[in-house]
Amino acid sequence: QLSLKGMNAFAPWFRSPPPTFEPPLPPSAVPFWGPVTANYDWCESNYAVSQYVAEFFNSISSLPTFTVGVYFLLQSTSSHYGFKFSLAGAMLALVGLGSVAFHATLTRAGQVLDEIPMLYSSSIFLWIAGSLHFPVGKQGDVQSARLGCALLAYCVMVTAAYANGGFEVFFVAYALTVVAVAITSVRAASKSAVKTTTRPYVIWALCIYIGGFATLWVPEQLFCGNRLQVTGHSPLQDLPVPLHSLFHITSSIGPLAWLTFAAFEELHRAKRGPVITW
């Protein structure tokens, strides 16, 4: 017979309340990639789609640029377009990856991986465009090499200034390079012996890229701004897809059209009889 006195040893256990099931704790207030350390935060709401990606749409829309770069790199190496064109494809692919790193993390390291390749990529485009004005042969090769060295020195100096100046230094240097590419490309196409083929690609490239910049990138800066500095709500934040992610699409189509023009022009000058097929 078990006495009540013996049961007293188990009394605390019997008297304990039944186990309860608490709801899971909310996600940590600290983002997956940590606080924003980049000096620019775009209009897209951070971590709104995935807790692992700061700006989801801006990140995935960067992949077409990577795809175009890889595609052109493979085309250049298989068809022997030349070193400049292979380098252009590789750097464009790096731009796409850097853009993913920037928008997915909003870290300073990701921002550098995005913006520095953009500067070098546009400078390679300018190297190609400028070289189209040089004569075919040894003399033209020497002039092209000198231009390439000068642009490399330009990129190195801007990179050093960028380390201290941030986004504004990058934007000014990049914009100047893009304008130079546009001017030299239009001049090369206007003097081309195959302008009926190449001119449309120059026009498409400039209209798509500059049009995307004017209608997508600029409005977001004007009406949404840097979210690290602007606290008020912008109607652009309510869009299902941010304007900047659409700008990424035009930034992949434009370079593809431009590289098609430049490669066709270069191969025609080398008397290789190029044909554009898609």
Side-chain angles (χ1 to χ4, degrees), residues 125-169:
F125 278 35
L126 181 55
W127 183 23
I128 294 173
S131 298
L132 294 177
H133 294 271
F134 300 144
V136 178
K138 185 176 181 179
Q139 180 184 357
D141 293 341
V142 172
Q143 292 175 309
S144 178
R146 289 174 179 172
L147 175 61
C149 291
L151 289 171
L152 178 59
Y154 167 76
C155 289
V156 171
M157 290 188 294
V158 171
T159 301
Y162 169 83
N164 298 316
F167 178 79
E168 291 75 14
V169 172

mmCIF file of all heavy atoms in Angstrom, residues 125-169:
data_model
loop_
_atom_site.group_PDB
_atom_site.id
_atom_site.type_symbol
_atom_site.label_atom_id
_atom_site.label_comp_id
_atom_site.label_asym_id
_atom_site.label_seq_id
_atom_site.Cartn_x
_atom_site.Cartn_y
_atom_site.Cartn_z
ATOM 1 N N PHE A 125 34.547 48.896 -73.384
ATOM 2 C CA PHE A 125 33.694 49.256 -74.518
ATOM 3 C C PHE A 125 34.274 50.471 -75.247
ATOM 4 O O PHE A 125 34.283 50.522 -76.483
ATOM 5 C CB PHE A 125 32.278 49.574 -74.033
ATOM 6 C CG PHE A 125 31.418 48.365 -73.799
ATOM 7 C CD1 PHE A 125 31.952 47.185 -73.305
ATOM 8 C CD2 PHE A 125 30.059 48.401 -74.062
ATOM 9 C CE1 PHE A 125 31.168 46.068 -73.082
ATOM 10 C CE2 PHE A 125 29.257 47.298 -73.856
ATOM 11 C CZ PHE A 125 29.809 46.125 -73.362
ATOM 12 N N LEU A 126 34.767 51.447 -74.478
ATOM 13 C CA LEU A 126 35.362 52.627 -75.090
ATOM 14 C C LEU A 126 36.650 52.258 -75.822
ATOM 15 O O LEU A 126 36.944 52.820 -76.884
ATOM 16 C CB LEU A 126 35.646 53.683 -74.016
ATOM 17 C CG LEU A 126 36.243 55.009 -74.493
ATOM 18 C CD1 LEU A 126 35.377 55.658 -75.573
ATOM 19 C CD2 LEU A 126 36.428 55.964 -73.320
ATOM 20 N N TRP A 127 37.408 51.347 -75.290
ATOM 21 C CA TRP A 127 38.618 50.859 -75.951
ATOM 22 C C TRP A 127 38.268 50.257 -77.317
ATOM 23 O O TRP A 127 38.920 50.539 -78.326
ATOM 24 C CB TRP A 127 39.296 49.829 -75.051
ATOM 25 C CG TRP A 127 40.594 49.276 -75.567
ATOM 26 C CD1 TRP A 127 41.436 49.852 -76.474
ATOM 27 C CD2 TRP A 127 41.200 48.038 -75.194
ATOM 28 N NE1 TRP A 127 42.540 49.052 -76.689
ATOM 29 C CE2 TRP A 127 42.413 47.924 -75.913
ATOM 30 C CE3 TRP A 127 40.845 47.017 -74.306
ATOM 31 C CZ2 TRP A 127 43.257 46.815 -75.780
ATOM 32 C CZ3 TRP A 127 41.687 45.926 -74.167
ATOM 33 C CH2 TRP A 127 42.890 45.829 -74.901
ATOM 34 N N ILE A 128 37.213 49.440 -77.338
ATOM 35 C CA ILE A 128 36.788 48.824 -78.597
ATOM 36 C C ILE A 128 36.299 49.889 -79.576
ATOM 37 O O ILE A 128 36.674 49.901 -80.762
ATOM 38 C CB ILE A 128 35.686 47.784 -78.331
ATOM 39 C CG1 ILE A 128 36.244 46.603 -77.525
ATOM 40 C CG2 ILE A 128 35.073 47.293 -79.639
ATOM 41 C CD1 ILE A 128 35.201 45.602 -77.072
ATOM 42 N N ALA A 129 35.441 50.793 -79.082
ATOM 43 C CA ALA A 129 34.878 51.822 -79.961
ATOM 44 C C ALA A 129 35.962 52.733 -80.517
ATOM 45 O O ALA A 129 35.952 53.080 -81.709
ATOM 46 C CB ALA A 129 33.837 52.646 -79.193
ATOM 47 N N GLY A 130 36.900 53.122 -79.663
ATOM 48 C CA GLY A 130 37.987 53.977 -80.137
ATOM 49 C C GLY A 130 38.871 53.279 -81.144
ATOM 50 O O GLY A 130 39.335 53.904 -82.121
ATOM 51 N N SER A 131 39.093 51.995 -80.953
ATOM 52 C CA SER A 131 39.959 51.235 -81.863
ATOM 53 C C SER A 131 39.354 51.093 -83.250
ATOM 54 O O SER A 131 40.075 50.860 -84.227
ATOM 55 C CB SER A 131 40.251 49.853 -81.267
ATOM 56 O OG SER A 131 40.945 49.969 -80.037
ATOM 57 N N LEU A 132 38.023 51.218 -83.348
ATOM 58 C CA LEU A 132 37.388 51.139 -84.662
ATOM 59 C C LEU A 132 37.762 52.318 -85.552
ATOM 60 O O LEU A 132 37.548 52.269 -86.766
ATOM 61 C CB LEU A 132 35.863 51.078 -84.505
ATOM 62 C CG LEU A 132 35.302 49.814 -83.836
ATOM 63 C CD1 LEU A 132 33.795 49.927 -83.673
ATOM 64 C CD2 LEU A 132 35.666 48.572 -84.634
ATOM 65 N N HIS A 133 38.328 53.375 -84.976
ATOM 66 C CA HIS A 133 38.736 54.549 -85.740
ATOM 67 C C HIS A 133 40.195 54.457 -86.202
ATOM 68 O O HIS A 133 40.652 55.319 -86.954
ATOM 69 C CB HIS A 133 38.542 55.816 -84.896
ATOM 70 C CG HIS A 133 37.110 56.116 -84.585
ATOM 71 N ND1 HIS A 133 36.305 56.875 -85.407
ATOM 72 C CD2 HIS A 133 36.330 55.742 -83.536
ATOM 73 C CE1 HIS A 133 35.097 56.975 -84.882
ATOM 74 N NE2 HIS A 133 35.086 56.298 -83.740
ATOM 75 N N PHE A 134 40.897 53.440 -85.732
ATOM 76 C CA PHE A 134 42.311 53.295 -86.108
ATOM 77 C C PHE A 134 42.423 52.446 -87.367
ATOM 78 O O PHE A 134 41.561 51.595 -87.638
ATOM 79 C CB PHE A 134 43.102 52.642 -84.972
ATOM 80 C CG PHE A 134 43.077 53.415 -83.690
ATOM 81 C CD1 PHE A 134 43.047 52.769 -82.465
ATOM 82 C CD2 PHE A 134 43.091 54.807 -83.695
ATOM 83 C CE1 PHE A 134 43.027 53.477 -81.280
ATOM 84 C CE2 PHE A 134 43.074 55.526 -82.510
ATOM 85 C CZ PHE A 134 43.035 54.865 -81.295
ATOM 86 N N PRO A 135 43.476 52.637 -88.150
ATOM 87 C CA PRO A 135 43.650 51.831 -89.374
ATOM 88 C C PRO A 135 43.909 50.373 -89.041
ATOM 89 O O PRO A 135 44.436 50.047 -87.973
ATOM 90 C CB PRO A 135 44.861 52.478 -90.054
ATOM 91 C CG PRO A 135 45.610 53.141 -88.942
ATOM 92 C CD PRO A 135 44.576 53.617 -87.973
ATOM 93 N N VAL A 136 43.510 49.513 -89.944
ATOM 94 C CA VAL A 136 43.760 48.081 -89.780
ATOM 95 C C VAL A 136 45.232 47.800 -90.065
ATOM 96 O O VAL A 136 45.790 48.276 -91.051
ATOM 97 C CB VAL A 136 42.862 47.258 -90.725
ATOM 98 C CG1 VAL A 136 43.167 45.766 -90.587
ATOM 99 C CG2 VAL A 136 41.394 47.533 -90.443
ATOM 100 N N GLY A 137 45.852 47.062 -89.191
ATOM 101 C CA GLY A 137 47.260 46.739 -89.380
ATOM 102 C C GLY A 137 48.082 47.057 -88.155
ATOM 103 O O GLY A 137 47.555 47.364 -87.077
ATOM 104 N N LYS A 138 49.399 47.007 -88.330
ATOM 105 C CA LYS A 138 50.308 47.167 -87.204
ATOM 106 C C LYS A 138 50.178 48.541 -86.556
ATOM 107 O O LYS A 138 50.181 48.672 -85.329
ATOM 108 C CB LYS A 138 51.749 46.949 -87.674
ATOM 109 C CG LYS A 138 52.766 46.979 -86.544
ATOM 110 C CD LYS A 138 54.164 46.656 -87.048
ATOM 111 C CE LYS A 138 55.171 46.673 -85.896
ATOM 112 N NZ LYS A 138 56.547 46.340 -86.375
ATOM 113 N N GLN A 139 50.061 49.579 -87.367
ATOM 114 C CA GLN A 139 49.935 50.928 -86.824
ATOM 115 C C GLN A 139 48.675 51.056 -85.964
ATOM 116 O O GLN A 139 48.703 51.623 -84.870
ATOM 117 C CB GLN A 139 49.899 51.961 -87.949
ATOM 118 C CG GLN A 139 49.759 53.404 -87.457
ATOM 119 C CD GLN A 139 49.621 54.395 -88.593
ATOM 120 O OE1 GLN A 139 49.683 54.026 -89.771
ATOM 121 N NE2 GLN A 139 49.427 55.665 -88.252
ATOM 122 N N GLY A 140 47.578 50.519 -86.463
ATOM 123 C CA GLY A 140 46.337 50.557 -85.703
ATOM 124 C C GLY A 140 46.423 49.754 -84.416
ATOM 125 O O GLY A 140 45.861 50.154 -83.388
ATOM 126 N N ASP A 141 47.149 48.642 -84.476
ATOM 127 C CA ASP A 141 47.317 47.826 -83.268
ATOM 128 C C ASP A 141 48.092 48.589 -82.199
ATOM 129 O O ASP A 141 47.773 48.507 -81.001
ATOM 130 C CB ASP A 141 48.027 46.522 -83.611
ATOM 131 C CG ASP A 141 47.193 45.606 -84.486
ATOM 132 O OD1 ASP A 141 45.947 45.805 -84.528
ATOM 133 O OD2 ASP A 141 47.768 44.708 -85.133
ATOM 134 N N VAL A 142 49.108 49.321 -82.620
ATOM 135 C CA VAL A 142 49.892 50.113 -81.666
ATOM 136 C C VAL A 142 49.026 51.211 -81.047
ATOM 137 O O VAL A 142 49.053 51.440 -79.826
ATOM 138 C CB VAL A 142 51.122 50.719 -82.359
ATOM 139 C CG1 VAL A 142 51.832 51.711 -81.426
ATOM 140 C CG2 VAL A 142 52.077 49.620 -82.789
ATOM 141 N N GLN A 143 48.256 51.896 -81.877
ATOM 142 C CA GLN A 143 47.378 52.942 -81.367
ATOM 143 C C GLN A 143 46.324 52.370 -80.413
ATOM 144 O O GLN A 143 45.999 52.978 -79.387
ATOM 145 C CB GLN A 143 46.699 53.655 -82.538
ATOM 146 C CG GLN A 143 47.645 54.477 -83.392
ATOM 147 C CD GLN A 143 46.959 55.067 -84.604
ATOM 148 O OE1 GLN A 143 46.288 54.360 -85.368
ATOM 149 N NE2 GLN A 143 47.119 56.373 -84.811
ATOM 150 N N SER A 144 45.804 51.201 -80.748
ATOM 151 C CA SER A 144 44.819 50.560 -79.885
ATOM 152 C C SER A 144 45.427 50.183 -78.539
ATOM 153 O O SER A 144 44.797 50.362 -77.486
ATOM 154 C CB SER A 144 44.255 49.311 -80.579
ATOM 155 O OG SER A 144 43.335 48.639 -79.740
ATOM 156 N N ALA A 145 46.660 49.689 -78.578
ATOM 157 C CA ALA A 145 47.336 49.320 -77.329
ATOM 158 C C ALA A 145 47.569 50.545 -76.459
ATOM 159 O O ALA A 145 47.412 50.493 -75.231
ATOM 160 C CB ALA A 145 48.657 48.627 -77.641
ATOM 161 N N ARG A 146 47.939 51.652 -77.061
ATOM 162 C CA ARG A 146 48.149 52.884 -76.304
ATOM 163 C C ARG A 146 46.850 53.365 -75.680
ATOM 164 O O ARG A 146 46.825 53.811 -74.520
ATOM 165 C CB ARG A 146 48.742 53.960 -77.217
ATOM 166 C CG ARG A 146 50.186 53.713 -77.635
ATOM 167 C CD ARG A 146 50.645 54.751 -78.640
ATOM 168 N NE ARG A 146 52.038 54.541 -79.022
ATOM 169 C CZ ARG A 146 52.661 55.200 -79.993
ATOM 170 N NH1 ARG A 146 51.981 56.119 -80.701
ATOM 171 N NH2 ARG A 146 53.925 54.961 -80.277
ATOM 172 N N LEU A 147 45.769 53.296 -76.455
ATOM 173 C CA LEU A 147 44.467 53.695 -75.916
ATOM 174 C C LEU A 147 44.076 52.798 -74.743
ATOM 175 O O LEU A 147 43.572 53.289 -73.721
ATOM 176 C CB LEU A 147 43.403 53.625 -77.009
ATOM 177 C CG LEU A 147 41.965 53.903 -76.569
ATOM 178 C CD1 LEU A 147 41.838 55.317 -75.998
ATOM 179 C CD2 LEU A 147 40.991 53.714 -77.733
ATOM 180 N N GLY A 148 44.313 51.492 -74.884
ATOM 181 C CA GLY A 148 43.995 50.569 -73.804
ATOM 182 C C GLY A 148 44.770 50.881 -72.538
ATOM 183 O O GLY A 148 44.213 50.856 -71.429
ATOM 184 N N CYS A 149 46.049 51.208 -72.679
ATOM 185 C CA CYS A 149 46.883 51.555 -71.513
ATOM 186 C C CYS A 149 46.391 52.847 -70.865
ATOM 187 O O CYS A 149 46.358 52.955 -69.626
ATOM 188 C CB CYS A 149 48.342 51.686 -71.923
ATOM 189 S SG CYS A 149 49.126 50.119 -72.382
ATOM 190 N N ALA A 150 46.007 53.822 -71.685
ATOM 191 C CA ALA A 150 45.510 55.090 -71.149
ATOM 192 C C ALA A 150 44.204 54.885 -70.380
ATOM 193 O O ALA A 150 44.008 55.455 -69.293
ATOM 194 C CB ALA A 150 45.308 56.091 -72.281
ATOM 195 N N LEU A 151 43.325 54.063 -70.920
ATOM 196 C CA LEU A 151 42.057 53.800 -70.233
ATOM 197 C C LEU A 151 42.272 53.002 -68.952
ATOM 198 O O LEU A 151 41.566 53.209 -67.957
ATOM 199 C CB LEU A 151 41.105 53.065 -71.171
ATOM 200 C CG LEU A 151 40.541 53.908 -72.319
ATOM 201 C CD1 LEU A 151 39.786 53.034 -73.314
ATOM 202 C CD2 LEU A 151 39.628 55.009 -71.769
ATOM 203 N N LEU A 152 43.238 52.096 -68.967
ATOM 204 C CA LEU A 152 43.558 51.356 -67.746
ATOM 205 C C LEU A 152 44.068 52.303 -66.665
ATOM 206 O O LEU A 152 43.676 52.194 -65.489
ATOM 207 C CB LEU A 152 44.595 50.277 -68.044
ATOM 208 C CG LEU A 152 45.062 49.447 -66.836
ATOM 209 C CD1 LEU A 152 43.887 48.728 -66.188
ATOM 210 C CD2 LEU A 152 46.149 48.457 -67.255
ATOM 211 N N ALA A 153 44.926 53.240 -67.055
ATOM 212 C CA ALA A 153 45.422 54.224 -66.089
ATOM 213 C C ALA A 153 44.275 55.076 -65.551
ATOM 214 O O ALA A 153 44.228 55.392 -64.350
ATOM 215 C CB ALA A 153 46.476 55.099 -66.754
ATOM 216 N N TYR A 154 43.342 55.430 -66.427
ATOM 217 C CA TYR A 154 42.156 56.189 -66.018
ATOM 218 C C TYR A 154 41.355 55.413 -64.981
ATOM 219 O O TYR A 154 40.947 55.963 -63.939
ATOM 220 C CB TYR A 154 41.314 56.500 -67.247
ATOM 221 C CG TYR A 154 39.922 57.005 -66.956
ATOM 222 C CD1 TYR A 154 39.709 58.316 -66.534
ATOM 223 C CD2 TYR A 154 38.815 56.178 -67.136
ATOM 224 C CE1 TYR A 154 38.432 58.786 -66.286
ATOM 225 C CE2 TYR A 154 37.534 56.631 -66.893
ATOM 226 C CZ TYR A 154 37.345 57.942 -66.458
ATOM 227 O OH TYR A 154 36.079 58.399 -66.214
ATOM 228 N N CYS A 155 41.139 54.126 -65.234
ATOM 229 C CA CYS A 155 40.373 53.299 -64.307
ATOM 230 C C CYS A 155 41.074 53.172 -62.955
ATOM 231 O O CYS A 155 40.420 53.204 -61.901
ATOM 232 C CB CYS A 155 40.146 51.910 -64.909
ATOM 233 S SG CYS A 155 38.981 51.870 -66.283
ATOM 234 N N VAL A 156 42.386 53.028 -62.980
ATOM 235 C CA VAL A 156 43.137 52.907 -61.733
ATOM 236 C C VAL A 156 43.030 54.195 -60.915
ATOM 237 O O VAL A 156 42.818 54.155 -59.688
ATOM 238 C CB VAL A 156 44.612 52.568 -62.022
ATOM 239 C CG1 VAL A 156 45.450 52.667 -60.741
ATOM 240 C CG2 VAL A 156 44.725 51.167 -62.615
ATOM 241 N N MET A 157 43.144 55.342 -61.568
ATOM 242 C CA MET A 157 43.036 56.613 -60.855
ATOM 243 C C MET A 157 41.639 56.814 -60.284
ATOM 244 O O MET A 157 41.484 57.260 -59.140
ATOM 245 C CB MET A 157 43.410 57.772 -61.787
ATOM 246 C CG MET A 157 44.887 57.842 -62.142
ATOM 247 S SD MET A 157 45.332 59.348 -63.049
ATOM 248 C CE MET A 157 44.420 59.096 -64.585
ATOM 249 N N VAL A 158 40.622 56.470 -61.072
ATOM 250 C CA VAL A 158 39.250 56.614 -60.583
ATOM 251 C C VAL A 158 38.997 55.648 -59.429
ATOM 252 O O VAL A 158 38.320 55.996 -58.453
ATOM 253 C CB VAL A 158 38.244 56.382 -61.730
ATOM 254 C CG1 VAL A 158 36.825 56.317 -61.180
ATOM 255 C CG2 VAL A 158 38.364 57.479 -62.770
ATOM 256 N N THR A 159 39.556 54.456 -59.516
ATOM 257 C CA THR A 159 39.389 53.490 -58.437
ATOM 258 C C THR A 159 39.986 54.022 -57.137
ATOM 259 O O THR A 159 39.391 53.878 -56.057
ATOM 260 C CB THR A 159 40.048 52.150 -58.801
ATOM 261 O OG1 THR A 159 39.460 51.645 -60.006
ATOM 262 C CG2 THR A 159 39.868 51.133 -57.688
ATOM 263 N N ALA A 160 41.147 54.656 -57.227
ATOM 264 C CA ALA A 160 41.771 55.233 -56.036
ATOM 265 C C ALA A 160 40.912 56.349 -55.462
ATOM 266 O O ALA A 160 40.738 56.451 -54.236
ATOM 267 C CB ALA A 160 43.164 55.747 -56.384
ATOM 268 N N ALA A 161 40.360 57.192 -56.335
ATOM 269 C CA ALA A 161 39.484 58.266 -55.860
ATOM 270 C C ALA A 161 38.182 57.713 -55.308
ATOM 271 O O ALA A 161 37.627 58.225 -54.326
ATOM 272 C CB ALA A 161 39.203 59.241 -56.999
ATOM 273 N N TYR A 162 37.693 56.651 -55.922
ATOM 274 C CA TYR A 162 36.441 56.017 -55.501
ATOM 275 C C TYR A 162 36.546 55.458 -54.086
ATOM 276 O O TYR A 162 35.577 55.459 -53.325
ATOM 277 C CB TYR A 162 36.098 54.908 -56.492
ATOM 278 C CG TYR A 162 34.993 53.976 -56.073
ATOM 279 C CD1 TYR A 162 33.661 54.320 -56.264
ATOM 280 C CD2 TYR A 162 35.272 52.736 -55.508
ATOM 281 C CE1 TYR A 162 32.644 53.456 -55.901
ATOM 282 C CE2 TYR A 162 34.268 51.863 -55.149
ATOM 283 C CZ TYR A 162 32.952 52.230 -55.340
ATOM 284 O OH TYR A 162 31.944 51.380 -54.978
ATOM 285 N N ALA A 163 37.729 55.005 -53.727
ATOM 286 C CA ALA A 163 37.924 54.441 -52.383
ATOM 287 C C ALA A 163 37.615 55.471 -51.306
ATOM 288 O O ALA A 163 37.233 55.105 -50.184
ATOM 289 C CB ALA A 163 39.353 53.928 -52.232
ATOM 290 N N ASN A 164 37.753 56.741 -51.641
ATOM 291 C CA ASN A 164 37.477 57.803 -50.671
ATOM 292 C C ASN A 164 36.174 58.551 -50.958
ATOM 293 O O ASN A 164 35.568 59.101 -50.039
ATOM 294 C CB ASN A 164 38.626 58.816 -50.655
ATOM 295 C CG ASN A 164 39.944 58.188 -50.231
ATOM 296 O OD1 ASN A 164 39.987 57.424 -49.276
ATOM 297 N ND2 ASN A 164 41.021 58.514 -50.947
ATOM 298 N N GLY A 165 35.757 58.558 -52.229
ATOM 299 C CA GLY A 165 34.605 59.367 -52.605
ATOM 300 C C GLY A 165 33.284 58.645 -52.651
ATOM 301 O O GLY A 165 32.229 59.257 -52.503
ATOM 302 N N GLY A 166 33.287 57.350 -52.886
ATOM 303 C CA GLY A 166 32.046 56.589 -52.900
ATOM 304 C C GLY A 166 31.250 56.703 -54.183
ATOM 305 O O GLY A 166 31.793 56.883 -55.274
ATOM 306 N N PHE A 167 29.926 56.638 -54.056
ATOM 307 C CA PHE A 167 29.017 56.500 -55.187
ATOM 308 C C PHE A 167 29.125 57.666 -56.156
ATOM 309 O O PHE A 167 29.070 57.479 -57.373
ATOM 310 C CB PHE A 167 27.582 56.378 -54.675
ATOM 311 C CG PHE A 167 26.546 56.281 -55.770
ATOM 312 C CD1 PHE A 167 26.330 55.081 -56.428
ATOM 313 C CD2 PHE A 167 25.809 57.395 -56.148
ATOM 314 C CE1 PHE A 167 25.386 54.988 -57.443
ATOM 315 C CE2 PHE A 167 24.860 57.315 -57.146
ATOM 316 C CZ PHE A 167 24.648 56.102 -57.797
ATOM 317 N N GLU A 168 29.261 58.889 -55.661
ATOM 318 C CA GLU A 168 29.264 60.065 -56.531
ATOM 319 C C GLU A 168 30.449 60.036 -57.493
ATOM 320 O O GLU A 168 30.313 60.357 -58.674
ATOM 321 C CB GLU A 168 29.282 61.344 -55.692
ATOM 322 C CG GLU A 168 27.997 61.619 -54.924
ATOM 323 C CD GLU A 168 27.837 60.724 -53.706
ATOM 324 O OE1 GLU A 168 28.843 60.074 -53.311
ATOM 325 O OE2 GLU A 168 26.725 60.669 -53.156
ATOM 326 N N VAL A 169 31.629 59.668 -56.987
ATOM 327 C CA VAL A 169 32.814 59.579 -57.848
ATOM 328 C C VAL A 169 32.606 58.530 -58.926
ATOM 329 O O VAL A 169 32.911 58.753 -60.104
ATOM 330 C CB VAL A 169 34.066 59.250 -57.009
ATOM 331 C CG1 VAL A 169 35.262 58.958 -57.909
ATOM 332 C CG2 VAL A 169 34.377 60.393 -56.057
#
